[in-house]
Amino acid sequence: DGTVVFNGGTYEFTTNITAKMTTDFYPVNVAAVRTDKSITINGGDFEADLPLSGSEVFKTVDPEDLTGGRPPITIKGGDLDLVAGNDCISAFGDVVISGGYIRATSVGDDAIDANGSLTISGGDIRAYAIAKQAHGLDVNNGKVDGQKKTLTISGGVVIATDGPGAVKIGVNSTEVGNANFQQSTYYG
């Protein structure tokens, strides 16, 4: 049915594409795991090294029919060491993290990008964005499908850094409660 579930195991995602410099630049649009349904990670060891422009590691996309809602990414456990040229974790819907160790480094965009809400209740999350105006945590501002989208952190350890010139420091969200953001943001 398109739903992707990881319950354990070891996974390595790399690219063997060699970038060739020309006068025209075409980004490589690669996602190691891409679906128009949900992605759930209950456990496992993941290593991804996809630094080329446009590459992503975990991605849910716009389904043809939204009757099932916007596809989320749920992380309950595991050890994820991710490097991507675009977003490391990119959900068309919500991102929900309740456990695991996540080190997500984006060299070209946001480390963790939720086009819905982002909820963190546990785990150890390090989200690093290096590119200009990119975010460690990017939560959709305002409303999506008539519902307000928010960032909620109720547990775990979260460290998020932004690239230079990012509009909001630490998190791209208008709904962050009483949090005080600096260039590096630590929750725990």
Side-chain angles (χ1 to χ4, degrees):
D1 70 6
T3 299
V4 178
V5 178
F6 295 95
N7 289 314
T10 301
Y11 305 89
E12 185 175 342
F13 306 114
T14 61
T15 181
N16 59 4
I17 299 170
T18 303
K20 195 174 201 181
M21 296 303 291
T22 65
T23 55
D24 295 321
F25 176 73
Y26 298 96
V28 177
N29 291 312
V30 174
V33 178
R34 178 185 173 109
T35 181
D36 64 356
K37 302 291 184 186
S38 65
I39 297 173
T40 300
I41 301 170
N42 294 315
D45 292 322
F46 299 84
E47 185 174 336
D49 187 12
L50 303 169
L52 294 177
S53 176
S55 64
E56 298 175 304
V57 184
F58 296 105
K59 182 174 184 74
T60 59
V61 297
D62 183 2
E64 299 264 333
D65 179 5
L66 279 176
T67 57
R70 291 172 165 265
I73 296 177
T74 303
I75 302 172
K76 298 177 181 179
D79 186 345
L80 292 77
D81 189 2
L82 315 174
V83 175
N86 199 357
D87 302 333
C88 293
I89 298 170
S90 176
F92 187 70
D94 297 341
V95 174
V96 178
I97 302 171
S98 60
Y101 175 80
I102 302 165
R103 185 173 67 201
T105 303
S106 173
V107 297
D109 208 342
D110 306 315
I112 300 175
D113 185 0
N115 288 301
S117 293
L118 172 57
T119 302
I120 300 171
S121 61
D124 186 327
I125 297 98
R126 317 301 167 113
Y128 307 114
I130 297 170
K132 184 177 181 181
Q133 299 181 350
H135 299 280
L137 304 175
D138 185 6
V139 179
N140 190 58
N141 283 321
K143 292 185 176 184
V144 175
D145 299 333
Q147 298 178 2
K148 187 172 264 193
K149 301 304 173 181
T150 61
L151 167 69
T152 303
I153 299 175
S154 61
V157 174
V158 179
I159 298 173
T161 63
D162 289 343
V167 176
K168 295 198 183 281
I169 305 300
V171 177
N172 181 23
S173 175
T174 57
E175 300 298 321
V176 294
N178 296 321
N180 179 19
F181 297 107
Q182 301 171 4
Q183 188 61 32
S184 289
T185 304
Y186 171 81
Y187 298 93

PDB file of all heavy atoms in Angstrom, residues 135-155:
ATOM      1  N   HIS A 135      17.200  25.850   7.729  1.00  0.00           N
ATOM      2  CA  HIS A 135      16.859  25.650   9.131  1.00  0.00           C
ATOM      3  C   HIS A 135      17.158  24.230   9.593  1.00  0.00           C
ATOM      4  O   HIS A 135      16.974  23.275   8.847  1.00  0.00           O
ATOM      5  CB  HIS A 135      15.379  25.933   9.353  1.00  0.00           C
ATOM      6  CG  HIS A 135      14.990  27.331   9.009  1.00  0.00           C
ATOM      7  ND1 HIS A 135      15.213  28.391   9.856  1.00  0.00           N
ATOM      8  CD2 HIS A 135      14.435  27.846   7.895  1.00  0.00           C
ATOM      9  CE1 HIS A 135      14.789  29.506   9.283  1.00  0.00           C
ATOM     10  NE2 HIS A 135      14.321  29.205   8.092  1.00  0.00           N
ATOM     11  N   GLY A 136      17.587  24.110  10.834  1.00  0.00           N
ATOM     12  CA  GLY A 136      17.728  22.797  11.448  1.00  0.00           C
ATOM     13  C   GLY A 136      16.374  22.127  11.569  1.00  0.00           C
ATOM     14  O   GLY A 136      16.193  20.960  11.224  1.00  0.00           O
ATOM     15  N   LEU A 137      15.393  22.867  12.054  1.00  0.00           N
ATOM     16  CA  LEU A 137      14.003  22.415  12.136  1.00  0.00           C
ATOM     17  C   LEU A 137      13.152  23.404  11.368  1.00  0.00           C
ATOM     18  O   LEU A 137      13.138  24.592  11.678  1.00  0.00           O
ATOM     19  CB  LEU A 137      13.526  22.364  13.595  1.00  0.00           C
ATOM     20  CG  LEU A 137      14.330  21.513  14.572  1.00  0.00           C
ATOM     21  CD1 LEU A 137      13.778  21.690  15.982  1.00  0.00           C
ATOM     22  CD2 LEU A 137      14.308  20.049  14.160  1.00  0.00           C
ATOM     23  N   ASP A 138      12.409  22.927  10.375  1.00  0.00           N
ATOM     24  CA  ASP A 138      11.561  23.797   9.564  1.00  0.00           C
ATOM     25  C   ASP A 138      10.125  23.308   9.698  1.00  0.00           C
ATOM     26  O   ASP A 138       9.788  22.217   9.247  1.00  0.00           O
ATOM     27  CB  ASP A 138      12.009  23.762   8.102  1.00  0.00           C
ATOM     28  CG  ASP A 138      11.232  24.739   7.230  1.00  0.00           C
ATOM     29  OD1 ASP A 138      10.425  25.519   7.767  1.00  0.00           O
ATOM     30  OD2 ASP A 138      11.431  24.720   6.007  1.00  0.00           O
ATOM     31  N   VAL A 139       9.300  24.114  10.354  1.00  0.00           N
ATOM     32  CA  VAL A 139       7.893  23.778  10.548  1.00  0.00           C
ATOM     33  C   VAL A 139       7.070  24.749   9.726  1.00  0.00           C
ATOM     34  O   VAL A 139       7.284  25.961   9.789  1.00  0.00           O
ATOM     35  CB  VAL A 139       7.504  23.875  12.038  1.00  0.00           C
ATOM     36  CG1 VAL A 139       6.036  23.545  12.244  1.00  0.00           C
ATOM     37  CG2 VAL A 139       8.378  22.959  12.875  1.00  0.00           C
ATOM     38  N   ASN A 140       6.123  24.218   8.967  1.00  0.00           N
ATOM     39  CA  ASN A 140       5.299  25.056   8.121  1.00  0.00           C
ATOM     40  C   ASN A 140       4.620  26.147   8.931  1.00  0.00           C
ATOM     41  O   ASN A 140       3.976  25.882   9.936  1.00  0.00           O
ATOM     42  CB  ASN A 140       4.244  24.196   7.424  1.00  0.00           C
ATOM     43  CG  ASN A 140       3.515  24.963   6.364  1.00  0.00           C
ATOM     44  OD1 ASN A 140       4.126  25.471   5.437  1.00  0.00           O
ATOM     45  ND2 ASN A 140       2.217  25.067   6.506  1.00  0.00           N
ATOM     46  N   ASN A 141       4.784  27.390   8.505  1.00  0.00           N
ATOM     47  CA  ASN A 141       4.115  28.510   9.180  1.00  0.00           C
ATOM     48  C   ASN A 141       2.642  28.558   8.809  1.00  0.00           C
ATOM     49  O   ASN A 141       2.260  28.227   7.696  1.00  0.00           O
ATOM     50  CB  ASN A 141       4.753  29.839   8.764  1.00  0.00           C
ATOM     51  CG  ASN A 141       6.060  30.062   9.457  1.00  0.00           C
ATOM     52  OD1 ASN A 141       6.218  29.752  10.614  1.00  0.00           O
ATOM     53  ND2 ASN A 141       7.016  30.604   8.720  1.00  0.00           N
ATOM     54  N   GLY A 142       1.816  28.986   9.745  1.00  0.00           N
ATOM     55  CA  GLY A 142       0.417  29.234   9.454  1.00  0.00           C
ATOM     56  C   GLY A 142      -0.420  27.973   9.395  1.00  0.00           C
ATOM     57  O   GLY A 142      -0.211  27.026  10.129  1.00  0.00           O
ATOM     58  N   LYS A 143      -1.381  27.979   8.466  1.00  0.00           N
ATOM     59  CA  LYS A 143      -2.339  26.881   8.374  1.00  0.00           C
ATOM     60  C   LYS A 143      -2.107  26.064   7.111  1.00  0.00           C
ATOM     61  O   LYS A 143      -1.756  26.586   6.071  1.00  0.00           O
ATOM     62  CB  LYS A 143      -3.758  27.429   8.367  1.00  0.00           C
ATOM     63  CG  LYS A 143      -4.172  28.051   9.680  1.00  0.00           C
ATOM     64  CD  LYS A 143      -5.618  28.461   9.645  1.00  0.00           C
ATOM     65  CE  LYS A 143      -6.031  28.997  11.006  1.00  0.00           C
ATOM     66  NZ  LYS A 143      -7.450  29.319  11.049  1.00  0.00           N
ATOM     67  N   VAL A 144      -2.337  24.758   7.229  1.00  0.00           N
ATOM     68  CA  VAL A 144      -2.316  23.841   6.094  1.00  0.00           C
ATOM     69  C   VAL A 144      -3.620  23.079   6.160  1.00  0.00           C
ATOM     70  O   VAL A 144      -3.983  22.544   7.209  1.00  0.00           O
ATOM     71  CB  VAL A 144      -1.117  22.872   6.180  1.00  0.00           C
ATOM     72  CG1 VAL A 144      -1.182  21.851   5.055  1.00  0.00           C
ATOM     73  CG2 VAL A 144       0.187  23.640   6.115  1.00  0.00           C
ATOM     74  N   ASP A 145      -4.339  23.028   5.069  1.00  0.00           N
ATOM     75  CA  ASP A 145      -5.645  22.360   5.028  1.00  0.00           C
ATOM     76  C   ASP A 145      -6.570  22.885   6.119  1.00  0.00           C
ATOM     77  O   ASP A 145      -7.329  22.147   6.734  1.00  0.00           O
ATOM     78  CB  ASP A 145      -5.502  20.837   5.157  1.00  0.00           C
ATOM     79  CG  ASP A 145      -4.696  20.234   4.027  1.00  0.00           C
ATOM     80  OD1 ASP A 145      -4.674  20.820   2.931  1.00  0.00           O
ATOM     81  OD2 ASP A 145      -4.070  19.189   4.245  1.00  0.00           O
ATOM     82  N   GLY A 146      -6.475  24.187   6.426  1.00  0.00           N
ATOM     83  CA  GLY A 146      -7.347  24.807   7.410  1.00  0.00           C
ATOM     84  C   GLY A 146      -6.974  24.549   8.865  1.00  0.00           C
ATOM     85  O   GLY A 146      -7.670  24.972   9.769  1.00  0.00           O
ATOM     86  N   GLN A 147      -5.872  23.829   9.105  1.00  0.00           N
ATOM     87  CA  GLN A 147      -5.450  23.523  10.471  1.00  0.00           C
ATOM     88  C   GLN A 147      -4.115  24.199  10.757  1.00  0.00           C
ATOM     89  O   GLN A 147      -3.205  24.173   9.942  1.00  0.00           O
ATOM     90  CB  GLN A 147      -5.308  22.018  10.668  1.00  0.00           C
ATOM     91  CG  GLN A 147      -6.594  21.263  10.488  1.00  0.00           C
ATOM     92  CD  GLN A 147      -6.393  19.762  10.651  1.00  0.00           C
ATOM     93  OE1 GLN A 147      -5.303  19.297  10.938  1.00  0.00           O
ATOM     94  NE2 GLN A 147      -7.450  19.008  10.465  1.00  0.00           N
ATOM     95  N   LYS A 148      -4.011  24.777  11.969  1.00  0.00           N
ATOM     96  CA  LYS A 148      -2.766  25.432  12.381  1.00  0.00           C
ATOM     97  C   LYS A 148      -1.698  24.370  12.630  1.00  0.00           C
ATOM     98  O   LYS A 148      -1.955  23.356  13.259  1.00  0.00           O
ATOM     99  CB  LYS A 148      -2.995  26.249  13.636  1.00  0.00           C
ATOM    100  CG  LYS A 148      -1.794  27.097  14.016  1.00  0.00           C
ATOM    101  CD  LYS A 148      -2.122  28.024  15.135  1.00  0.00           C
ATOM    102  CE  LYS A 148      -2.478  29.338  14.496  1.00  0.00           C
ATOM    103  NZ  LYS A 148      -2.542  30.430  15.429  1.00  0.00           N
ATOM    104  N   LYS A 149      -0.505  24.594  12.134  1.00  0.00           N
ATOM    105  CA  LYS A 149       0.613  23.664  12.294  1.00  0.00           C
ATOM    106  C   LYS A 149       1.606  24.244  13.284  1.00  0.00           C
ATOM    107  O   LYS A 149       1.916  25.429  13.244  1.00  0.00           O
ATOM    108  CB  LYS A 149       1.280  23.384  10.948  1.00  0.00           C
ATOM    109  CG  LYS A 149       0.320  22.803   9.930  1.00  0.00           C
ATOM    110  CD  LYS A 149      -0.332  21.543  10.447  1.00  0.00           C
ATOM    111  CE  LYS A 149      -1.410  21.042   9.527  1.00  0.00           C
ATOM    112  NZ  LYS A 149      -2.064  19.857  10.025  1.00  0.00           N
ATOM    113  N   THR A 150       2.126  23.402  14.177  1.00  0.00           N
ATOM    114  CA  THR A 150       2.941  23.895  15.273  1.00  0.00           C
ATOM    115  C   THR A 150       4.154  23.009  15.518  1.00  0.00           C
ATOM    116  O   THR A 150       4.224  21.875  15.057  1.00  0.00           O
ATOM    117  CB  THR A 150       2.130  23.945  16.584  1.00  0.00           C
ATOM    118  OG1 THR A 150       1.712  22.624  16.904  1.00  0.00           O
ATOM    119  CG2 THR A 150       0.932  24.856  16.467  1.00  0.00           C
ATOM    120  N   LEU A 151       5.070  23.551  16.301  1.00  0.00           N
ATOM    121  CA  LEU A 151       6.195  22.803  16.845  1.00  0.00           C
ATOM    122  C   LEU A 151       5.897  22.549  18.311  1.00  0.00           C
ATOM    123  O   LEU A 151       5.584  23.480  19.053  1.00  0.00           O
ATOM    124  CB  LEU A 151       7.490  23.597  16.721  1.00  0.00           C
ATOM    125  CG  LEU A 151       8.672  23.047  17.533  1.00  0.00           C
ATOM    126  CD1 LEU A 151       9.150  21.723  16.949  1.00  0.00           C
ATOM    127  CD2 LEU A 151       9.796  24.057  17.594  1.00  0.00           C
ATOM    128  N   THR A 152       5.983  21.284  18.733  1.00  0.00           N
ATOM    129  CA  THR A 152       5.801  20.938  20.141  1.00  0.00           C
ATOM    130  C   THR A 152       6.977  20.075  20.567  1.00  0.00           C
ATOM    131  O   THR A 152       7.234  19.037  19.960  1.00  0.00           O
ATOM    132  CB  THR A 152       4.498  20.139  20.356  1.00  0.00           C
ATOM    133  OG1 THR A 152       3.406  20.912  19.863  1.00  0.00           O
ATOM    134  CG2 THR A 152       4.293  19.825  21.828  1.00  0.00           C
ATOM    135  N   ILE A 153       7.691  20.515  21.605  1.00  0.00           N
ATOM    136  CA  ILE A 153       8.783  19.725  22.174  1.00  0.00           C
ATOM    137  C   ILE A 153       8.445  19.502  23.639  1.00  0.00           C
ATOM    138  O   ILE A 153       8.397  20.452  24.422  1.00  0.00           O
ATOM    139  CB  ILE A 153      10.141  20.431  22.025  1.00  0.00           C
ATOM    140  CG1 ILE A 153      10.454  20.650  20.542  1.00  0.00           C
ATOM    141  CG2 ILE A 153      11.242  19.617  22.704  1.00  0.00           C
ATOM    142  CD1 ILE A 153      11.707  21.446  20.273  1.00  0.00           C
ATOM    143  N   SER A 154       8.186  18.237  24.003  1.00  0.00           N
ATOM    144  CA  SER A 154       7.806  17.928  25.378  1.00  0.00           C
ATOM    145  C   SER A 154       8.799  16.992  26.062  1.00  0.00           C
ATOM    146  O   SER A 154       8.614  16.632  27.217  1.00  0.00           O
ATOM    147  CB  SER A 154       6.406  17.316  25.417  1.00  0.00           C
ATOM    148  OG  SER A 154       6.378  16.113  24.672  1.00  0.00           O
ATOM    149  N   GLY A 155       9.835  16.579  25.348  1.00  0.00           N
ATOM    150  CA  GLY A 155      10.832  15.702  25.937  1.00  0.00           C
ATOM    151  C   GLY A 155      11.984  15.486  24.991  1.00  0.00           C
ATOM    152  O   GLY A 155      11.980  15.958  23.853  1.00  0.00           O
TER     153      GLY A 155
END
